Amino acid sequence: MNESRNKITELFNIKYPIIQAGMIWHSGWKLASAVSNCGGLGLIGSASMYPDILRENIQKCKKATDKPFGVNVALLYPNLDEIIQIILEEGVKIVFTSAGNPKNYTETLQKEGIKVAHVVSSTKFAVKCEDAGVDAIVAEGFEAGGHNGRDETTTLCLIPNVKKHISKPLIAAGGIALGSQMKAAMILGADGVQIGSRFAATIEASAHENWKKKITELNEGDTHLTLKELAPVRMVKNKFFNELEEIYNVGRNTEALVASLGRARAKKGMFEGDMENGELEIGQVSALINEVLPVEKVFENLLKEFNQTNNSTL
Ligand SMILES: Cc1cc2nc3c(=O)[nH]c(=O)nc-3n(C[C@H](O)[C@H](O)[C@H](O)COP(=O)(O)O)c2cc1C
């Protein structure tokens, strides 16, 4: 991949159309600034941060990079108005919203000159994003780690369909860790990619070392998309996962499920390193991640593989 401009590099003023996903318990200022310094777009994940911690992360990120970076705001978490206020006060220029209605904050943010992208998992919601006036759409397939859609549409099927129905810049997410996968997504019609799981297993990610190591040991079939009626989420099949499945199978007790989930379990697993009792969010592509690497090396690999994957003709 060279530095030729496209819709995504133009929109965010970055060198490569590679976005590091906002990820709870992983993407603080260290990860986001490292990605931005490599020419991608780093996103601070606000969903696991109290408002004052978010402010601190934004301020540190501004010091660590002079390149563009953004904040991911998952609309299913609390303190939203406070978080948006901090984003405005700190002069953040790019916001990726997810897990909610794109109409809620797009206009407020754009009025302040902020570029807004929203994450969806279906063509229907991609069209709603376009109606809401977002600047870019992230279409995330069933393979992806973390919260996801209910329809089980894979990236391979989702991207061409979304592309057919929207005209805004399109970012593919879900199942992308290699340069060949990035190229495939762009051949399908994406203008750029959002990568989560690969960046979760980097030196700069703020997750616990037990968890980073575990990611590198996962195989095909070790993750599952669960809780589809409640808040679908792809996670590792560990003791906690089995407990959730049990509650779910015995009468789908929503209150009990909600009580078991929440920030505490995700923190216990991914931030505190409890590999059995914590919630471990990661994508199917973890089966292809065998090493914890510095961000710079992830970029080097992505670009090399992208360039080596040929577009041969039949
Ligand atoms: C550990 C983890 C935490 C995540 N947290 C968030 C989040 O806070 N907000 C969000 O919009 N998406 C979140 N996601 C989804 C990512 O933003 C991204 O779309 C997804 O990881 C892409 O798929 P991949 O994991 O196959 O690369 C998370 C994903 C992972 C793996």
Side-chain angles (χ1 to χ4, degrees):
M1 150 148 292
N2 54 38
E3 292 172 36
S4 60
R5 312 297 288 162
N6 80 357
K7 282 190 197 175
I8 292 298
T9 57
E10 289 287 344
L11 180 64
F12 299 128
N13 192 24
I14 52 179
K15 197 160 151 189
Y16 303 114
I18 299 173
I19 289 119
Q20 162 255 310
M23 290 180 286
I24 53 166
W25 305 116
H26 293 75
S27 54
W29 68 272
K30 272 192 194 155
L31 180 57
S33 61
V35 169
S36 291
N37 283 333
C38 284
L41 180 69
L43 297 181
I44 295 173
S46 69
S48 50
M49 295 179 184
Y50 290 114
D52 53 331
I53 302 287
L54 173 63
R55 192 189 293 280
E56 189 186 323
N57 270 271
I58 295 171
Q59 289 176 351
K60 286 187 171 164
C61 203
K62 283 193 267 194
K63 285 199 183 112
T65 184
D66 57 0
K67 305 280 191 310
F69 72 92
V71 174
N72 166 252
V73 183
L75 302 175
L76 51 67
Y77 290 100
N79 307 321
L80 283 181
D81 287 340
E82 217 177 325
I83 280 174
I84 297 294
Q85 192 54 36
I86 289 170
I87 286 170
L88 298 180
E89 283 169 14
E90 291 297 328
V92 172
K93 295 278 176 276
I94 299 166
V95 171
F96 277 48
T97 52
S98 60
N101 187 341
K103 281 203 176 127
N104 290 357
Y105 289 102
T106 298
E107 208 184 319
T108 311
L109 293 166
Q110 284 175 335
K111 268 194 196 142
E112 302 299 321
I114 296 172
K115 301 274 187 255
V116 181
H118 189 78
V119 186
V120 296
S121 57
S122 71
T123 303
K124 185 172 107 190
F125 286 114
V127 171
K128 286 194 176 169
C129 283
E130 197 147 82
D131 294 344
V134 301
D135 297 289
I137 295 166
V138 182
E140 187 196 64
F142 171 71
E143 305 91 324
H147 287 284
N148 205 309
R150 295 180 171 81
D151 294 339
E152 303 195 359
T153 310
T154 60
T155 305
L156 198 67
C157 295
L158 183 62
I159 300 304
N161 207 15
V162 171
K163 180 74 184 172
K164 224 169 37 185
H165 289 87
I166 61 150
S167 57
K168 295 280 178 183
L170 174 59
I171 299 161
I176 301 165
L178 307 175
S180 53
Q181 292 169 316
M182 177 177 169
K183 189 168 254 181
M186 293 179 77
I187 290 171
L188 291 174
D191 304 295
V193 293
Q194 172 169 289
I195 297 179
S197 297
R198 177 57 273 187
F199 285 119
T202 55
I203 306 282
E204 292 86 343
S206 54
H208 197 280
E209 294 309 313
N210 290 355
W211 170 226
K212 292 185 193 176
K213 181 167 174 284
K214 174 95 179 165
I215 296 172
T216 66
E217 294 164 356
L218 293 171
N219 292 310
E220 263 179 38
D222 284 348
T223 71
H224 192 81
L225 184 74
T226 185
L227 303 182
K228 283 217 267 169
E229 281 81 358
L230 188 65
V233 56
R234 179 174 294 285
M235 61 171 84
V236 173
K237 293 191 245 172
N238 62 355
K239 181 163 169 271
F240 171 63
F241 171 87
N242 291 333
E243 283 167 16
L244 278 183
E245 289 284 292
E246 224 160 89
I247 303 172
Y248 194 63
N249 292 335
V250 182
R252 302 191 174 185
N253 180 339
T254 308
E255 271 173 35
L257 287 167
V258 172
S260 305
L261 278 169
R263 289 186 190 207
R265 285 300 191 130
K267 185 180 183 191
K268 191 187 257 303
M270 298 184 284
F271 195 66
E272 294 170 356
D274 185 336
M275 295 297 98
E276 283 311 318
N277 299 301
E279 181 185 332
L280 305 175
E281 299 181 13
I282 202 72
Q284 288 185 344
V285 79
S286 52
L288 288 165
I289 299 169
N290 309 120
E291 254 184 305
V292 178
L293 295 172
V295 164
E296 210 177 344
K297 185 70 184 160
V298 172
F299 261 82
E300 195 186 307
N301 291 346
L302 275 169
L303 302 180
K304 196 164 100 198
E305 291 155 3
F306 186 98
N307 290 338
Q308 284 172 354
T309 306
N310 67 8
N311 297 332
S312 58
T313 52
L314 288 178

